[in-house]
Amino acid sequence: MICYIWGAGDPPVSFPRPTAEDLVIAADAGLSACRAAGVMPSVTIGDFDSLGEVPTEGEVIRLPVEKDETDMAAAIRIGLARGYRDFYLLGGTGGRADHTFANYQLLASLAEAGCLGILFGHDHRVVAMTSGSSLTFGEDATGTFSVFAVGGDAVGVTERGVYYPLEHATLSPSIPLGVSNRFLEGKTARISVEQGTLLVFFGDTFLPKELDMAGKSATIDPA
């Protein structure tokens, strides 16, 4: 079961379609993006300053204009409260750079809570992984990918089956050492981290095959 959350940013070129067992939440003006994509949300949440109207269809949760969390963060909180552990964030990039960065932080917080979070940007995807986790990409993975430490040093970073392999390296959040690596054609790629949190950026035409979160394995549905 996946909790899809639509934001008001740039819509992704492609994304997995939600099924009947999934929860779809529109965050404020993300409702317009849902409508454009032909997806009907189960829940719409926000203060509706961006949407410009209070929706009437489905479940509506109205938030105060002045609050300590973004609409996307509030939507994640609702999804967690309803038992979801896998989150696909769509429309979470573009527009205001500070909101995009906030969504990267939300990915990190999901990983640190033992959840899966994937952000579907317009032409890229991002997944977070944290201490003791590994991320596997199948042989269909192509193009470049980048790995960045967030929240502090990431220790014991290993990248195998890629053009520039790493073995037990330390990545710093202030030095972009992990930018622009490449997948190898026909090779399975594996990224792991012993301690710390990583954001992994990759192309929009495929998804990782599996995320092992400190021994808790999650197979990711294909796009």
Side-chain angles (χ1 to χ4, degrees), residues 82-149:
R82 299 188 182 190
Y84 287 83
R85 305 292 287 174
D86 295 347
F87 291 81
Y88 286 177
L89 311 183
L90 305 97
T93 64
R96 287 178 52 177
D98 53 348
H99 278 263
T100 297
F101 190 81
N103 291 332
Y104 295 153
Q105 288 185 313
L106 291 175
L107 285 181
S109 68
L110 282 170
E112 289 164 4
C115 298
L116 167 68
I118 301 178
L119 188 150
F120 292 76
H122 178 67
D123 58 0
H124 68 284
R125 297 171 181 180
V126 189
V127 64
M129 54 189 296
T130 192
S131 301
S133 299
S134 64
L135 186 64
T136 302
F137 289 88
E139 297 177 359
D140 62 326
T142 59
T144 63
F145 71 95
S146 296
V147 178
F148 301 106

Side-chain angles (χ1 to χ4, degrees), residues 129-182:
M129 54 189 296
T130 192
S131 301
S133 299
S134 64
L135 186 64
T136 302
F137 289 88
E139 297 177 359
D140 62 326
T142 59
T144 63
F145 71 95
S146 296
V147 178
F148 301 106
V150 292
D153 287 351
V155 179
V157 179
T158 297
E159 301 177 15
R160 295 175 179 170
V162 299
Y163 192 83
Y164 298 110
L166 280 179
E167 287 290 334
H168 304 292
T170 296
L171 299 185
S172 165
S174 59
I175 301 175
L177 178 64
V179 71
S180 293
N181 206 331
R182 293 208 302 270

Side-chain angles (χ1 to χ4, degrees), residues 14-29:
S14 62
F15 61 93
R17 307 296 295 191
T19 66
E21 66 179 5
D22 297 328
L23 176 65
V24 180
I25 302 177
D28 208 308

